[in-house]
Amino acid sequence: MEALVWTGSRLEAVDDLEVRDPLPGEVTVRVDAAGLCHSDLKPVDGDIAQAVPVVLGHEAAGVVVDRGAGVDLPIGQKVVLSVLRNCGHCAACLAGLPTLCRGTTESPPTVFTRYGAPVAQFVRVGAFARHTVVGQQQVVPVPDGIPDTVAALLGCAVVTGFGAVWERARLRAGESALIIGAGGIGLNVVQAAKVAGASRVVVCDTNPRKEAIARRLGATEFLVVGGADDVVATAASVSPEGFDAVLECVGRADLLTAAVGALAWGGRAVMVGLPPADTTVTFGMRQLFQDKALLGCRMGSVDPHRFIPDLARRYLAGEIVIDPLVTTVVPLTEAEDLVARLRSGDLDRGVFDLAGRSPR
Ligand SMILES: [Zn+2]
Ligand SMILES: [Zn+2]
């Protein structure tokens, strides 16, 4: 079957990847669309340890086509994939907090092979393949009426952005928000802040081309900054008292330092971007003294089985928009070009079409 394999030195579109049958508690998903997220580039850039060769991809939508024993999801069910392969029976899982389950980091038996040799499955999903096998807790049913490209984004960029604002920062109506970085996740943070009723949704980015889409999704102000050094002073120029929530959506130490520096008294800084593994950050401890908080955030800190269906319902009801985030849809064979465009800041979200429909 078709897949995109990172060999350790290049991205190779192949048509001879094999996928094993589902074990008890697992499902086989035919992937129809998969978004390219910055996190997919972490193994490529050496920012996280990853066995190679590997099938990247973790933000995807598809259809259940096979299931192991003990799975009651129907064949043909449309689903969004999740990286959270939580155990389902620990205290965190029973409390509805799957992002706190220690079991989510365990890998299942080898899913992919090529000529008999194992091919790794990135973050237990490996979505850049026509078929993948995941745990049944990793598939979230969604209505058929949601387009595949939109459904794919629900699995990472949308759930992470909305969760960070609603569940982690717990932004309340009338509060102010500063969003650092208007990429695929940052733009969802913008929309989540708007829907939460924020009084001001201020976005800063180095790329002035992001202003139009940021404003479309709810930004009330857009600040072009030269770099991290600029962020605190520029933010202070529009809000000297600071912001109630500051969301760092890039994953850089200097920007997290800036996020803390831009907080109002009682404000919450949320680390939404995923930094390289060895990153350390420095800030003045006294900066947190006025009841401020610095919060980590894993996949939006939400239960995808509760949160994604709610976002899907809001999308179908017209309460939130997702389509404008999809900049382009391309086949796996155009991966190198799509990665280059992501790095250049040209994409809000680039999506791979695995169903073989014509790209737009
Ligand atoms: Zn992602
Ligand atoms: Zn658990």
Side-chain angles (χ1 to χ4, degrees):
M1 66 169 173
E2 308 85 53
L4 184 68
V5 174
W6 167 246
T7 65
S9 59
R10 67 197 182 93
L11 285 168
E12 189 178 355
V14 305
D15 60 6
D16 50 12
L17 189 79
E18 308 266 356
V19 63
R20 68 162 167 77
D21 290 335
L23 300 171
E26 291 183 334
V27 296
T28 302
V29 174
R30 186 196 73 211
V31 178
D32 289 326
L36 178 66
C37 173
H38 276 284
S39 298
D40 294 309
L41 301 185
K42 301 288 180 189
V44 174
D45 294 339
D47 286 341
I48 55 175
Q50 172 64 57
V52 292
V54 59
V55 176
L56 301 174
H58 60 283
E59 178 183 88
V63 168
V64 173
V65 292
D66 196 6
R67 54 194 183 174
V71 177
D72 52 14
L73 274 168
I75 301 294
Q77 172 69 56
K78 184 164 186 157
V79 293
V80 170
L81 296 184
S82 165
V83 302
L84 294 179
R85 194 178 172 117
N86 55 306
C87 77
H89 50 71
C90 72
C93 285
L94 295 177
L97 303 167
T99 59
L100 300 185
C101 174
R102 306 296 177 101
T104 54
T105 55
E106 293 167 11
S107 286
T110 300
V111 166
F112 299 124
T113 51
R114 201 169 168 224
Y115 306 118
V119 176
Q121 183 189 38
F122 183 54
V123 292
R124 300 161 298 282
V125 177
F128 298 157
R130 185 60 167 143
H131 292 89
T132 188
V133 171
V134 297
Q136 62 177 331
Q137 62 276 57
Q138 291 182 266
V139 296
V140 180
V142 292
D144 285 335
I146 298 185
D148 292 332
T149 51
V150 167
L153 267 57
L154 283 173
C156 178
V158 181
V159 74
T160 303
F162 278 79
V165 176
W166 292 358
E167 301 284 327
R168 204 68 179 118
R170 294 193 176 273
L171 189 73
R172 294 179 292 268
E175 289 192 317
S176 60
L178 174 69
I179 292 94
I180 302 173
I185 290 175
L187 290 168
N188 282 288
V189 168
V190 169
Q191 184 170 202
K194 176 199 168 195
V195 175
S199 58
R200 299 174 77 180
V201 182
V202 180
V203 179
C204 55
D205 199 290
T206 55
N207 185 350
R209 285 180 299 179
K210 294 285 186 179
E211 176 164 3
I213 182 78
R215 285 191 181 276
R216 178 162 182 193
L217 290 168
T220 57
E221 289 140 279
F222 186 91
L223 310 172
V224 179
V225 292
D229 293 347
D230 258 7
V231 172
V232 175
T234 308
S237 72
V238 299
S239 181
E241 68 280 13
F243 290 83
D244 298 311
V246 183
L247 298 111
E248 197 279 335
C249 304
V250 182
R252 266 180 33 191
D254 52 358
L255 294 175
L256 193 63
T257 299
V260 171
L263 286 173
W265 288 29
R268 292 83 68 198
V270 182
M271 186 186 86
V272 190
L274 180 67
D278 58 355
T279 305
T280 57
V281 62
T282 307
F283 56 87
M285 277 175 71
R286 281 288 290 274
Q287 286 187 286
L288 290 179
F289 180 62
Q290 295 93 359
D291 292 350
K292 299 173 186 174
L294 174 56
L295 302 163
C297 183
R298 181 176 181 222
M299 297 307 296
S301 311
V302 300
D303 178 355
H305 287 270
R306 178 178 63 80
F307 210 71
I308 288 176
D310 180 55
L311 292 171
R313 181 193 61 73
R314 289 173 184 268
Y315 169 81
L316 289 173
E319 296 171 24
I320 63 174
V321 295
I322 299 174
D323 300 75
L325 292 168
V326 180
T327 311
T328 186
V329 182
V330 301
L332 290 177
T333 49
E334 294 179 24
E336 295 279 8
D337 180 56
L338 198 67
V339 167
R341 291 184 66 186
L342 179 64
R343 291 189 193 282
S344 74
D346 185 32
L347 295 179
D348 300 318
R349 221 26 158 204
V351 177
F352 289 115
D353 163 41
L354 290 96
R357 291 162 299 216
S358 54
R360 76 177 196 212

